[in-house]
Structures are given as structure tokens and as C-alpha cells.
Amino acid sequence: MNIWRHAASLVMGLSCLGVGPLQAQEHFPNRPLTIINPWAAGSSTDVMARTLAEEMHKQLGQSIVVISREGGSGVIGMNVLAQSPADGLTMAFTPMTPITIQPHYIKGLKLSPDVVQPLCGVTENILGVSVRADSPYKTIEELIAAAKQKSLNYGSPGPNSAPFLAIDQLERDQKLQLNHIPYKGDAGSIQELLAGRLDFVSSIAASAAPQVRAGKLRLLAVTSEHRHPAFPDIPSFRELGMKVQEDSFAGLFVPRGVPEAALAKLDDACAKATRSGSVKRIAQSGDQVVHYQSRQQWEKRITTEFRKQGETAKRNASKN
């Protein structure tokens, strides 16, 4: 009897102090929040993170600070997120590659969907293959036909990047042997292409877009399931009957273990932010596509992509 009386008194005392877990979740967020940008300050990811922070602040009623923790192709910032308290007050905005690709190539890296919670998908960065405007290859079919006759040189942001993995798929699907030259980011490979030292590049389409619009480069195909809305005349590999699809989505993540009520509020704020005019404007100006994915959809995509990239990594390792 005394035990039950003591328990009841303890619950009543906690309620009076206002520290009950349900009440804490109901009042979430009760402090300012942080969004980690795992990429360079001033990058397109950073700009979108700050736009999301402004819009989500309107929904949540708390200020949201964006901090940059760049390095390791997004890995450093995502490790910071994974080690943050699971209170919902710390998020990260990033393309999915630090979670779905990098763990399969960096020994000892413990990042995975098991340690970070996908919160919501926000944008899609469509990837594409580009050549110089004076290239003899007017279509992707012509480029592939030439590659079957001789080894072509192409550039990408690196051997564990999404643009490289897209061409890896193309090589397997079309039985090609291409000469890959890695660069640090899209800018280096595009400059080399313009200088005539590469036959083509695989990059984020947005990176090549200014040169495409200037008439210096020609976009031949995109690796998304659908065409790029900014370049509606450019086909996807899929619609041409090729088994090449490499998606590049970006969204928000939180540490695993955040209470359900907090997750629901954050996801709702994210959904409303993606419908805002400012997020749409920033995405359009950077040739990105706003593609909201709910927590359940985003988690399914991240889990599926993590498994897919793991299989690709094992296959590539067996070839070496």
C-alpha cells in the first residue's frame, strides 16, 4: 500500500513541476533549434538549409540556427548529428549520400539509417551527362555507340559519388569500358570538359546548367526517373530503355530516438516549408526540384537506397 501511495505521490509531484514526458512533448520545441549543414558555407545546401530554417521558424515558433560542419563529403556533419541529443532540437539538411553511399566505402564509418532518423525529403538534385557544345556526340545514343568503339574519358566528383555510380550503371547496362577521372566536386570536371580534355562529364545537372544555357555545353540525358523540368527536351536513361537510374535527393535528418510527438511536429513544419514560395524560389534558382517526402516515405527511400548502394559496393569490390 505504501508503495502505491509513494508512486502516486511521485507522479503528482512531477506533474506539479511540469516535467512529465507527455507535457514536455506537448510543448515541443521549448528552446531554439539547430540545423547542421554538413557542406561548405554558402553552398546550395547551405542556402536551402537557411531558407528551411526561416520557414520552419514560422511554424514552430522558435528560432532555428544553421551551422556548417563541412568535411568528408558530408560525413563530419552527419557524425555530429548522430552524436547529438535525441530531443528533436538538432537536425541536419543534406543530400542522402553521406548516409546511403559513404558508409559502404569508408572503413569504420558507423553512419547508417540505424543511427540517424530520416525526417522529411525536401529537394531532388537531378544528375546528368554533358558534353561540349561542339562535341560530335549529339545524343546519348551517339556517345554510347562511340564508347563501344573506343574508351572515352569522363569526369565525376569521385569514385563514391552519385554521378560516378550512375556511369557505373551505364557501363554495366551497355557493356562499356570507360576511363574515369575523379575530381573534387563538379566544377573541376566541368572546367576540364570545357578545356577539351574530357569526352563528357557526369554531374549534378544544376552544376552544368549555366554552361548549358550559355551554349557551351550540351546536356544529353538525365539519370532521374523523370526529365528535369528546367530541361524538358532532355530524355532520361530510363525512357530510352536503359537500366540507369541514380537518384539524388536531399532532406532533413535527426538523431535516432527523438520522441514521436516531436517528429510529427517537425515533419509537419517541413511539409509546410516545402510549400512556401521562398523554398520554391531557392530551389528553382539552383535548378533543383522541390520534392517533399513525408517521414515514412523518406525513411523508406533512405533504407532502400542504403541497401542498394551496399550491393553496388560489394559488386565493385569483387571486381578489384
Side-chain angles (χ1 to χ4, degrees):
M1 192 71 175
N2 289 337
I3 294 175
W4 290 110
R5 188 178 297 118
H6 176 72
S9 298
L10 181 60
V11 171
M12 187 177 296
L14 288 172
S15 298
C16 291
L17 290 170
V19 295
L22 289 177
Q23 189 178 42
Q25 291 181 39
E26 287 172 3
H27 289 88
F28 175 86
N30 55 7
R31 300 199 309 274
L33 299 90
T34 297
I35 293 180
I36 297 170
N37 162 37
W39 305 86
S43 64
S44 60
T45 306
D46 182 40
V47 173
M48 180 57 75
R50 294 180 187 281
T51 307
L52 283 172
E54 293 175 6
E55 291 301 322
M56 291 178 72
H57 159 67
K58 298 174 184 177
Q59 309 301 326
L60 298 171
Q62 289 285 349
S63 61
I64 304 177
V65 177
V66 176
I67 59 171
S68 292
R69 293 289 183 270
E70 66 175 297
S73 297
V75 165
I76 290 177
M78 294 308 286
N79 268 326
V80 172
L81 177 73
Q83 296 164 17
S84 299
D87 53 13
L89 296 175
T90 305
M91 299 172 278
F93 177 71
T94 180
M96 57 188 182
T97 51
I99 302 300
T100 59
I101 295 179
Q102 305 291 8
H104 302 297
Y105 293 91
I106 302 176
K107 188 175 180 180
L109 184 61
K110 296 180 180 179
L111 284 175
S112 76
D114 292 332
V115 298
V116 293
Q117 164 79 55
L119 178 64
C120 64
V122 178
T123 58
E124 180 181 9
N125 260 322
I126 296 177
L127 311 178
V129 169
S130 302
V131 296
R132 276 182 27 148
D134 60 358
S135 168
Y137 315 124
K138 308 298 183 185
T139 66
I140 193 66
E141 292 95 337
E142 291 180 1
L143 186 147
I144 291 170
K148 289 183 177 180
Q149 301 300 318
K150 60 179 180 178
S151 181
L152 300 182
N153 296 324
Y154 82 95
S156 88
N160 56 343
S161 66
F164 164 79
L165 293 171
I167 302 304
D168 179 63
Q169 290 181 39
L170 180 64
E171 285 185 297
R172 283 186 281 110
D173 182 66
Q174 296 294 311
K175 297 179 174 55
L176 306 177
Q177 285 192 329
L178 299 164
N179 183 30
H180 175 230
I181 302 173
Y183 295 86
K184 291 183 178 179
D186 288 338
S189 63
I190 289 173
Q191 287 303 314
E192 288 295 282
L193 178 63
L194 289 168
R197 288 186 281 269
L198 294 172
D199 293 299
F200 70 95
V201 296
S202 180
S203 70
I204 296 173
S207 299
Q211 302 293 350
V212 172
R213 291 193 176 99
K216 296 180 179 180
L217 294 183
R218 184 187 305 119
L219 186 63
L220 297 185
V222 296
T223 73
S224 178
E225 185 179 3
H226 52 83
R227 296 188 178 198
H228 197 306
F231 303 99
D233 296 332
I234 307 304
S236 68
F237 283 98
R238 277 289 188 183
E239 68 181 275
L240 296 174
M242 303 180 205
K243 295 180 180 178
V244 179
Q245 182 176 332
E246 189 65 38
D247 298 315
S248 180
F249 292 93
L252 287 168
F253 296 81
V254 293
R256 280 288 175 185
V258 173
E260 175 62 30
L263 289 173
K265 284 189 176 182
L266 291 172
D267 188 7
D268 180 64
C270 176
K272 290 173 179 172
T274 58
R275 294 195 293 267
S276 69
S278 58
V279 166
K280 291 177 181 177
R281 283 193 299 274
I282 291 298
Q284 186 176 24
S285 67
D287 288 301
Q288 300 171 351
V289 179
V290 175
H291 188 120
Y292 169 72
Q293 297 171 78
S294 69
R295 178 160 44 107
Q296 292 74 20
Q297 293 169 323
W298 187 224
E299 177 147 22
K300 181 179 179 181
R301 184 177 293 278
I302 294 298
T303 302
T304 300
E305 193 68 19
F306 180 79
R307 183 167 55 248
K308 168 192 162 186
Q309 297 297 351
E311 293 169 355
T312 299
K314 288 179 182 177
R315 183 171 55 249
N316 288 342
S318 67
K319 292 191 301 186
N320 298 330

